[in-house]
Amino acid sequence: MKTVLKDSLMIRKYTIKGLVQGIGYRPWVAKLADELNIEGYVRNTGGIVTVVAVGDEEQLAELKQRLSNNVPTGGFVTSIDDEEISGNEVKLPSDHQFKIIESDSDVKANLPLIPADICTCDKCKEELLNPGNRRYLHPFISCTICGPRYSIIKSLPYDRDTITMVDFDMCPKCAKEYTGKLDRRRHAQTIACKECGPRLSFKQVSGEAEVMDLSQLSEQAKKLYTDLKLDNPEFARAIDVIAAGGILAVKDIGGYHLACNPFYEQAVAALRTLKHREAKAFAVMFADVKSVSSYCQVNLKEQALLESPARPIVLLKRIYDNNKPLAENVCLTSPQVGAMLPCNPVQILLAEILGPIIMTSGNASGDVLETDDDKMLQWLMDRASSGEMEDTPIAMLSHNRRILRPMDDSVMKVVCGRQQFIRRARGYVPSPISVDIPGEFFAAGGDLKSSFCYIKNGLAYTSQYLGDMESVSCQHFYRNEKAAMEQIFGFNPNAVAVDKHPGYFSRKAGEEAAENANLKLTQIQHHKAHVAAVIAEHKLTGKVLGFAFDGTGYGDDGSIWGSETFLWDGISEMTRIAHLKPMKLIGGDEGAKNCDTILTGMLHNYGIQLPDANNDSMEQQLIKAAIDNNINTVTSTSMGRLFDAVSALLDICHYNSYEGQAPIELENIAVQAQEGYPLHIGVDGDIKVLFEDIVYAISNNVDKAQIARGFIDAVAGYIVAIAGNHKQELDDKNQVVLSGGTFLNRILLERVIIELESQGFNVYIAQQLPPGDGGICLGQAYLASRQQ
């Protein structure tokens, strides 16, 4: 039926693209329309929002101007297409109101933006802690601008029936809020309350926890606990477990965390046993930044990250003179604390009542974050029955809201005012990165700290952190996440980029994708991808001097690279211009993890004998014989392996029980020294003199921390010297890129940035993706696009 308008009125259709679903954009638009006395409707249409509005020219001009200003938290508008339509092209509400109408599920023509999981907003937190509010202590409180998003969405558009909240029917009160014009929860798809929403459940796995002693709590914490015990006694029992020194598996937005009291050394030790995580620091959750500042130094940039909607773990410099120090086995040798703030109502209540709590991923180290209740329960029961933790209460706090994809915590730090990802996951994924990469690509990434990405319409959609592909569970996770992103976003790439390493799982996955769809496949060298990822992220043009330092990567010559310097011509060529001198080392997993094996190999390459080594051990003899006879050897220029060797030489770490352990522990020791012992690496990459000088320093009882810092300074000096020697080959932009896992070393990165900038270089690092292998997928796509 044709809509008849007054002469002064017109109908305009606005097609709005950007991050406009899952953030409360439709109710926000409806509120704008009501304020402007405009009739019509707003709806989700695939991955975009469509607005049809009736008003005079002035009203509609004002509406369009406001559609992209002050968008609800977490959202943004990239474009608004505007057209006038006639009354016979659209059916408007018969009551002349402005309404939110049923979504259109056609997503084929649009590339959507979907919000990441968003932390509990301040208003919901206020209601959660307000005894007078009907959602007081509701562990699933949310509204239009906060709560789970990506972890619970099955398909677009983002509506109640396309997310796992479809399992819960709204009660009359929630339904009234959902449809109410003035309510903050108008069309909030995750709306629920204690009457109609998800439910918590508690399971004591082993041991028993005594009821919590309230005498040490603040008055506010006492009231919260007392009220919670009446309102949700199972939740209160879970709190008792942590307070008693037990371990609690807590199901959160993206999967399970394992929580325990960070002040009880015995509880922390039990958690290490449970996870098989003996040598890596644990993250600690604090109630607020004020609490964090009692244990860590926090600058403004770090505070902004902590309090951001993503709620990442942020590595902060540790304060040691606390009135109530953390147990020594929480951070171990690390001079940093991985600090985080609560991101959901359950975590808020735990922190408000208990104070600081260890929060670590709910899995055995190396496996995928667990989301399945039965599997988590079985794992806990198996571990509890092993006899290793007989005196430790273990329990599980679950809920019945389905999680469609695991979402680990993101981990970040700030170096020289720049944010740096160690792990990019919850709170940031699946938000895309704007890049100047034409075409549509699937880039398969690498095998360590793996992630992949899709490129379309100048946007890079990077998967979350997927783990190490040596794990079968991580391989399944990779394939499942790939399939999920293709379904949700409708990706249809026309080319595939992979790493050159012939044994990578990620390469095989990319080859399968290319073969199944008959797509062009491009192999990209690992370290070139490291440099290109930063070029792509910052949209650099012109020549670039790129440093890619890490543990291992398959080189163009078939050897193992890892200390590479490249000159990018700004068009399509990346030329290798410097690296450490190649050495023969033992190959395989043991060759990458056993620092003593690496050290023996490096010293043997240079004919250096340690002064106190009168006779080689049988193992050392075998290593040397294998190298001399090319048995199970690789040729390597790895900077990561050099860090391993020096860590072993200084008796700091002899085996990498997790990736990068030896370099991390070397840095932890180096932090203790104000100045480093003078050491040097020649620009030709020869490290013989470096080893000789370190051996000399050890034999003369030079402080270990000074030698460690001197070594890091030597690596920094090597980088600065190479940059200086090649400055004339750059254009007037003087662009330098630092990439690869070695640049997670704070001492190294800070010194290199400061010295290069003092010499007139413009220095760029990865800031939206990790510098390690979690970011190479973007570089693969960038270089592949230059080879089309």
Side-chain angles (χ1 to χ4, degrees):
M1 180 177 178
K2 183 176 180 180
T3 301
V4 180
L5 302 177
K6 296 179 182 178
D7 291 342
S8 61
L9 299 180
M10 63 179 73
I11 306 174
R12 300 200 73 85
K13 178 182 177 182
Y14 305 97
T15 302
I16 303 152
K17 298 179 181 178
L19 183 45
V20 288
Q21 291 195 20
I23 60 162
Y25 189 78
R26 287 177 296 168
W28 179 76
V29 169
K31 184 179 178 183
L32 290 181
D34 289 341
E35 291 174 0
L36 295 172
N37 198 27
I38 287 172
E39 64 178 279
Y41 65 80
V42 58
R43 75 190 306 184
N44 280 340
T45 308
I48 62 176
V49 166
T50 300
V51 175
V52 172
V54 179
D56 61 33
E57 186 172 357
E58 183 178 346
Q59 288 172 310
L60 296 178
E62 175 71 7
L63 175 65
K64 182 179 179 181
Q65 189 270 329
R66 293 175 67 179
L67 283 174
S68 60
N69 291 338
N70 300 315
V71 174
T73 302
F76 56 85
V77 170
T78 56
S79 67
I80 300 178
D81 295 331
D82 175 10
E83 61 177 311
E84 185 173 357
I85 59 178
S86 63
N88 60 0
E89 294 180 72
V90 64
K91 183 178 180 181
L92 294 169
S94 58
D95 57 2
H96 300 288
Q97 300 292 311
F98 191 93
K99 295 190 174 182
I100 301 171
I101 68 170
E102 184 179 351
S103 299
D104 182 349
S105 60
D106 180 15
V107 300
K108 295 180 180 179
N110 308 304
L111 181 62
L113 296 174
I114 300 173
D117 297 311
I118 306 167
C119 74
T120 304
C121 69
D122 289 341
K123 288 184 178 179
C124 281
K125 180 180 177 180
E126 183 180 340
E127 292 175 348
L128 175 71
L129 303 178
N130 178 9
N133 190 277
R134 81 181 189 91
R135 289 187 173 86
Y136 177 52
L137 303 179
H138 175 45
F140 302 95
I141 191 170
S142 67
C143 66
T144 53
I145 63 170
C146 71
R149 295 295 190 268
Y150 186 55
S151 62
I152 63 171
I153 187 170
K154 182 178 181 181
S155 62
L156 286 170
Y158 178 81
D159 278 319
R160 184 82 169 199
D161 60 357
T162 61
I163 62 176
T164 59
M165 287 300 293
V166 70
D167 299 342
F168 306 96
D169 295 329
M170 293 181 215
C171 68
K173 288 182 179 179
C174 285
K176 184 177 181 181
E177 293 170 335
Y178 185 83
T179 56
K181 284 192 173 185
L182 301 180
D183 196 279
R184 194 174 86 256
R185 294 184 173 85
R186 182 182 185 184
H187 270 259
Q189 303 307 322
T190 56
I191 189 172
C193 68
K194 287 183 274 189
E195 298 299 321
C196 65
R199 294 278 198 277
L200 289 175
S201 60
F202 175 83
K203 176 74 174 179
Q204 189 76 43
V205 178
S206 67
E208 288 293 335
E210 296 182 1
V211 175
M212 185 178 180
D213 178 9
L214 304 186
S215 63
Q216 302 299 315
L217 299 183
S218 67
E219 291 304 314
Q220 180 185 5
K222 286 180 184 178
K223 177 169 178 51
L224 285 174
Y225 176 82
T226 303
D227 290 350
L228 189 64
K229 197 163 186 176
L230 294 172
D231 184 84
N232 194 328
E234 293 204 325
F235 196 169
R237 287 185 66 191
I239 292 174
D240 292 338
V241 171
I242 299 176
I247 298 171
L248 180 71
V250 188
K251 191 176 183 182
D252 288 316
I253 285 179
Y256 277 94
H257 278 100
L258 296 173
C260 79
N261 192 320
F263 304 106
Y264 286 14
E265 189 167 334
Q266 185 176 354
V268 180
L271 181 58
R272 293 196 174 281
T273 299
L274 179 70
K275 278 184 63 71
H276 294 301
R277 181 170 169 169
E278 292 77 18
K280 207 172 183 181
F282 284 130
V284 181
M285 184 179 72
F286 298 86
D288 49 38
V289 170
K290 182 180 179 181
S291 178
V292 174
S293 63
S294 298
Y295 294 87
C296 314
Q297 299 177 31
V298 188
N299 63 37
L300 292 177
K301 286 185 178 293
E302 291 164 339
Q303 179 175 342
L305 285 178
L306 284 168
E307 295 181 328
S308 70
R311 289 293 196 269
I313 297 169
V314 182
L315 300 187
L316 304 172
K317 291 181 180 178
R318 188 173 168 188
I319 295 174
Y320 289 89
D321 55 343
N322 312 99
N323 292 329
K324 188 180 180 183
L326 301 173
E328 286 298 319
N329 56 348
V330 174
C331 299
L332 301 173
T333 63
S334 177
Q336 302 176 110
V337 176
M340 63 186 293
L341 300 185
C343 74
N344 60 66
V346 170
Q347 290 185 355
I348 289 171
L349 291 170
L350 288 173
E352 290 287 332
I353 294 170
L354 292 169
I357 306 168
I358 286 178
M359 278 283 175
T360 188
S361 57
N363 54 2
S365 292
D367 285 340
V368 175
L369 182 69
E370 190 56 73
T371 61
D372 184 271
D373 301 338
D374 293 336
K375 290 180 180 178
M376 173 53 75
L377 177 59
Q378 187 61 54
W379 181 69
L380 291 174
M381 291 173 64
D382 290 344
R383 299 295 294 130
S385 64
S386 67
E388 298 176 277
M389 297 168 290
E390 292 180 356
D391 299 326
T392 304
I394 300 175
M396 192 167 101
L397 185 66
S398 307
H399 61 71
N400 60 339
R401 182 177 62 206
R402 288 180 292 138
I403 299 172
L404 296 181
R405 57 194 55 85
M407 294 298 293
D408 236 322
D409 297 315
S410 295
V411 184
M412 307 179 73
K413 63 181 175 181
V414 176
V415 181
C416 290
R418 298 156 165 90
Q419 72 174 35
Q420 186 181 45
F421 278 96
I422 293 93
R423 182 168 70 205
R424 185 177 186 265
R426 180 188 52 75
Y428 294 95
V429 175
S431 298
I433 301 167
S434 176
V435 292
D436 288 333
I437 300 178
E440 297 183 33
F441 289 89
F442 170 69
D447 268 24
L448 292 177
K449 306 294 181 286
S450 183
S451 69
F452 58 77
C453 75
Y454 287 91
I455 306 291
K456 186 173 181 179
N457 294 353
L459 295 173
Y461 287 76
T462 306
S463 77
Q464 63 171 301
Y465 161 85
L466 300 168
D468 295 342
M469 292 300 110
E470 64 182 11
S471 163
V472 174
S473 66
C474 292
Q475 293 176 12
H476 289 314
F477 188 21
Y478 184 107
R479 293 188 185 279
N480 291 342
E481 187 68 5
K482 181 176 180 294
M485 290 185 72
E486 288 172 350
Q487 176 186 344
I488 293 172
F489 294 98
F491 292 125
N492 187 26
N494 51 37
V496 175
V498 298
D499 192 274
K500 278 193 169 184
H501 197 299
Y504 271 6
F505 167 85
S506 56
R507 171 172 165 172
K508 293 174 183 176
E511 288 173 339
E512 289 174 7
E515 183 178 355
N516 292 339
N518 194 27
L519 305 178
K520 179 180 178 180
L521 180 75
T522 305
Q523 296 178 14
I524 302 296
Q525 199 282 320
H526 188 92
H527 299 93
K528 292 177 182 179
H530 270 307
V531 172
V534 182
I535 294 173
E537 176 190 323
H538 292 280
K539 300 182 178 179
L540 302 183
T541 59
K543 294 183 177 181
V544 172
L545 189 66
F547 294 87
F549 288 5
D550 64 3
T552 183
Y554 194 81
D556 285 336
D557 58 5
S559 68
I560 302 301
W561 289 4
S563 60
E564 315 315 304
T565 306
F566 300 100
L567 182 63
W568 170 247
D569 67 358
I571 303 172
S572 62
E573 293 297 324
M574 193 174 286
T575 306
R576 186 186 187 209
I577 59 174
H579 53 81
L580 294 180
K581 283 196 171 181
M583 289 177 288
K584 287 184 181 178
L585 299 174
I586 299 299
D589 288 344
E590 189 68 9
K593 294 179 179 180
N594 192 322
C595 303
D596 290 332
T597 299
I598 296 164
L599 174 62
T600 299
M602 287 191 175
L603 293 179
H604 185 59
N605 273 267
Y606 285 112
I608 298 174
Q609 186 74 21
L610 295 178
D612 59 347
N614 296 323
N615 296 297
D616 287 336
S617 67
M618 180 62 70
E619 182 181 5
Q620 289 171 322
Q621 292 177 35
L622 290 173
I623 291 168
K624 292 178 179 181
I627 290 173
D628 291 339
N629 293 281
N630 290 322
I631 300 172
N632 190 32
T633 61
V634 295
T635 300
S636 173
T637 62
S638 170
M639 182 62 74
R641 298 292 82 83
L642 177 59
F643 270 79
D644 290 339
V646 173
S647 189
L649 184 57
L650 295 177
D651 193 27
I652 295 172
C653 180
H654 295 273
Y655 194 88
N656 286 303
S657 64
Y658 62 89
E659 197 218 346
Q661 180 181 350
I664 289 170
E665 293 194 5
L666 184 142
E667 181 186 3
N668 293 346
I669 294 295
V671 168
Q672 300 171 17
Q674 296 299 314
E675 293 184 356
Y677 179 81
L679 296 168
H680 178 72
I681 298 174
V683 291
D684 61 354
D686 193 307
I687 54 176
K688 181 178 181 179
V689 173
L690 172 76
F691 275 117
E692 290 175 339
D693 289 346
I694 293 175
V695 170
Y696 175 82
I698 293 171
S699 64
N700 283 273
N701 299 314
V702 176
D703 180 65
K704 185 186 299 186
Q706 286 185 290
I707 302 173
R709 188 161 197 127
F711 165 67
I712 296 173
D713 290 344
V715 177
Y718 170 71
I719 295 168
V720 173
I722 291 173
N725 288 350
H726 292 275
K727 190 172 185 179
Q728 72 279 1
E729 299 174 48
L730 297 173
D731 52 33
D732 57 3
K733 294 180 181 179
N734 289 326
Q735 297 173 144
V736 173
V737 159
L738 308 175
S739 190
T742 299
F743 289 105
L744 286 170
N745 185 302
R746 184 189 292 270
I747 299 173
L748 175 66
L749 186 58
E750 285 182 345
R751 177 151 186 174
V752 172
I753 289 174
I754 291 170
E755 292 200 17
L756 287 179
E757 289 184 341
S758 71
Q759 295 183 23
F761 290 98
N762 292 305
V763 183
Y764 299 89
I765 67 171
Q767 293 184 253
Q768 297 189 65
L769 290 173
D773 289 6
I776 64 168
C777 55
L778 179 59
Q780 290 170 347
Y782 181 83
L783 291 177
S785 73
R786 296 301 180 104
Q787 296 180 25
Q788 295 295 300

